[in-house]
Amino acid sequence: MNDDISDQPVDRPRLALLGLGAMGGALARAWLAAGRSLTVWNRTPGRAEPFAAAGARVAGTPAEAVAAGDLVVACLLDDASVGEALSGADLAGKDLVNLTTGTPAQARARAEWAVRRGARFLDGGIMAVPPMVGVPESGGYAFYSGSRALFDAHHDTLTVPFGAVYTGEDPGFAALHDVALLSAMTGMFAGVAHAFALIRKESLAPSGLAPLLVGWLTAMAPHAYQIAAHLESGDYTEGVASNLAMMVEGNATLRRTAEEQGVSAELLAPFMALMERRLADGHGDEGTTGVVDLLTR
């Protein structure tokens, strides 16, 4: 018998994970590789077999998994799946972390639901894809919001798969940050798609345009700092190099080029229309920050 306990984990929680899809499976592999005690449950039992072989305990029901864990992590299809899976589980005294993608309102409602059942609650928004999980240099992280005490107590466990960024006591803030970033990404992807469509019929290699797009978008990304400063100061003209009047005039060239290339401008048209509305309201000396006000009225 080895009496040396110096290498044994101290105060590590018993971890239960609900959901072994692409992301849940990546989480399980990261925690198992780190030597964490892990109980897993998945709606399709066959998916749990590789994790059992790697040392995880497999629960037959969500309630059984919850009973085996101090820290319970849900990574399921949607919010309804979380409610369904945990409906018969005893959450009293448990720490529940929900890494299922959802909206801020769903996170707030789920937090109230969990607290009524005697659990501390933390919502999370994962800013990573499965291959980034458990790879420190990948830059992946998750936003968390809700119980600060829970976040602090389990920080070491939560940072095994990826980094952790706490966004506040409001349980909806993690989802709000998640969706804000994903929304910006979606708009960027729209612009990239339009750019490739413009050259699609020409004798230009997409692989030649790609590095130019990456460099240009990287150079333009800090514009977010100016918008933030404008929104906080209320002065939408400060530091503006290309004002709204100039940009709206330039939009005509973007539209004309799309028409000449046989490309629909439908990905750009909504933003251009908002710019034109703001200009018509007499804000030609501003940048694009005023569009935010049009969206939030």
Side-chain angles (χ1 to χ4, degrees), residues 109-137:
R110 186 59 59 194
E112 293 178 1
W113 175 92
V115 170
R116 287 198 303 269
R117 285 157 178 78
R120 294 193 296 187
F121 181 85
L122 196 66
D123 194 66
I126 300 174
M127 305 308 297
V129 293
M132 298 169 69
V133 176
V135 183
E137 62 271 21

Side-chain angles (χ1 to χ4, degrees), residues 26-121:
L27 292 172
R29 283 187 289 273
W31 278 316
L32 288 169
R36 299 305 175 97
S37 170
L38 180 65
T39 298
V40 298
W41 171 84
N42 193 71
R43 188 178 302 277
T44 304
R47 283 191 176 179
E49 293 175 2
F51 303 99
R57 178 187 171 214
V58 179
T61 66
E64 181 184 338
V66 170
D70 306 306
L71 175 62
V72 179
V73 178
C75 190
L76 299 168
L77 177 64
D78 52 25
D79 180 69
S81 301
V82 176
E84 180 183 352
L86 293 174
S87 60
D90 181 4
L91 295 177
K94 301 294 183 178
D95 284 337
L96 176 60
V97 177
N98 185 22
L99 289 175
T100 303
T101 301
T103 70
Q106 287 174 329
R108 290 166 180 142
R110 186 59 59 194
E112 293 178 1
W113 175 92
V115 170
R116 287 198 303 269
R117 285 157 178 78
R120 294 193 296 187
F121 181 85

